Amino acid sequence: FVVLVTEGVTRVLSNQDVIDCASKHWDDSEEAAKNVVRTAFQKGSDENLTALVVQFGWADKHTPRYIERRRQLVAQGVEGGSPVMKPTRAAPKEEIYSDKAVEKEDFDMFG
């Protein structure tokens, strides 16, 4: 997971303290963030207390349910896509990328 916090948290908690607080709830990102904010508040911070815990899919408690739902949609012939679900049997898309060399020799992509 990754933890992002505001200055109100870092004034009273070290980086290791933040990770320790979040690690207590490694399987629930919402609870991990709440624990970081509560701990900073208990340590006396009176500034903006915000924490965001980004949990990677393999540890997210919702992953099994999400994977099952995706399998059901694929079995029904629907490809997942946000925000619109598209049929998987759609006509092939025109290729956007090409192996051809750039036609203009003086092309500068960073210019």
Side-chain angles (χ1 to χ4, degrees):
F1 59 86
V2 173
V3 182
L4 305 172
V5 296
T6 55
E7 188 178 3
V9 174
T10 58
R11 285 192 182 269
V12 295
L13 297 177
S14 69
N15 291 341
Q16 188 61 54
D17 291 336
V18 170
I19 295 302
D20 291 344
C21 289
S23 294
K24 292 177 183 175
H25 300 281
W26 64 269
D27 60 338
D28 187 341
S29 57
E30 184 177 352
E31 282 303 313
K34 286 178 182 179
N35 193 41
V36 171
V37 170
R38 285 181 188 130
T39 303
F41 181 75
Q42 290 169 351
K43 294 233 180 192
S45 180
D46 58 355
E47 296 184 37
N48 180 2
L49 296 175
T50 305
L52 172 67
V53 177
V54 179
Q55 194 169 36
F56 301 111
W58 60 84
D60 188 340
K61 67 181 180 182
H62 300 291
T63 299
R65 187 174 60 206
Y66 171 77
I67 291 171
E68 181 56 33
R69 178 70 180 136
R70 297 281 296 138
R71 285 186 181 141
Q72 291 172 355
L73 290 172
V74 169
Q76 295 171 5
V78 177
E79 174 188 343
S82 180
V84 179
M85 301 299 275
K86 302 169 286 248
T88 56
R89 295 170 192 87
K93 294 181 181 178
E94 181 181 318
E95 187 174 334
I96 298 172
Y97 303 103
S98 170
D99 292 337
K100 297 178 184 175
V102 176
E103 295 178 10
K104 189 175 178 183
E105 293 293 328
D106 62 341
F107 177 76
D108 180 10
M109 65 186 271
F110 302 106

